[in-house]
Amino acid sequence: QVQLVESGGGLMQPGGSLRLSCAASGSIFSVNTMGWYRQAPGKERELVATKSSGGYTNYADSVKGRFTISRDNAKNMVWLQMNSLKPEDTAVYYCNYWHNSPTYLEVWGQGTLVNVSS
């Protein structure tokens, strides 16, 4: 199986920056998508950003221009650089991995809390 380990969450003032990291291990296949989702209290989990192994990216409108996703296929790692943080960004952030070949697999990280507050 695939395991994901996240780090980098914490407390930050509005306007500040944080970088989240996620390391994948296990039975990783070369064609896959990794990314970040978040869940605020009382809200459904929502997409933040994803990036495929081929380099295709997808961002939520609410973070576009502020957040940047990057990955290193050789290291099986993905990062989320978060700039100009807003209180609305406060949530638990989850790393995500999925592939659909040879069979479908989706894995979630344990979650890391990002708290943006004065």
Side-chain angles (χ1 to χ4, degrees):
Q1 287 293 308
V2 175
Q3 296 83 40
L4 304 176
V5 179
E6 305 174 19
S7 64
L11 177 65
M12 181 57 63
Q13 294 180 324
S17 298
L18 285 172
R19 187 177 69 167
L20 306 182
S21 298
C22 177
S25 62
S27 301
I28 301 163
F29 289 84
S30 59
V31 179
N32 64 73
T33 297
M34 297 184 70
W36 298 91
Y37 292 70
R38 67 186 182 187
Q39 188 167 20
K43 298 285 189 177
E44 294 292 320
R45 190 173 299 187
E46 65 176 356
L47 179 146
V48 178
T50 63
K51 190 170 187 177
S52 72
S53 53
Y56 185 86
T57 59
N58 187 32
Y59 291 93
D61 289 342
S62 60
V63 308
K64 199 167 188 176
R66 300 188 297 121
F67 292 8
T68 303
I69 188 169
S70 59
R71 62 180 290 167
D72 187 324
N73 293 344
K75 295 181 178 180
N76 297 318
M77 293 191 67
V78 62
W79 297 268
L80 184 68
Q81 179 67 44
M82 303 184 292
N83 297 327
S84 302
L85 283 164
K86 304 175 180 180
E88 308 92 270
D89 297 319
T90 297
V92 177
Y93 284 70
Y94 296 92
C95 185
N96 173 264
Y97 167 99
W98 70 269
H99 66 235
N100 57 21
S101 181
T103 57
Y104 176 77
L105 177 68
E106 184 175 30
V107 179
W108 294 92
Q110 80 279 8
T112 184
L113 177 63
V114 172
N115 191 347
V116 184
S117 176
S118 298

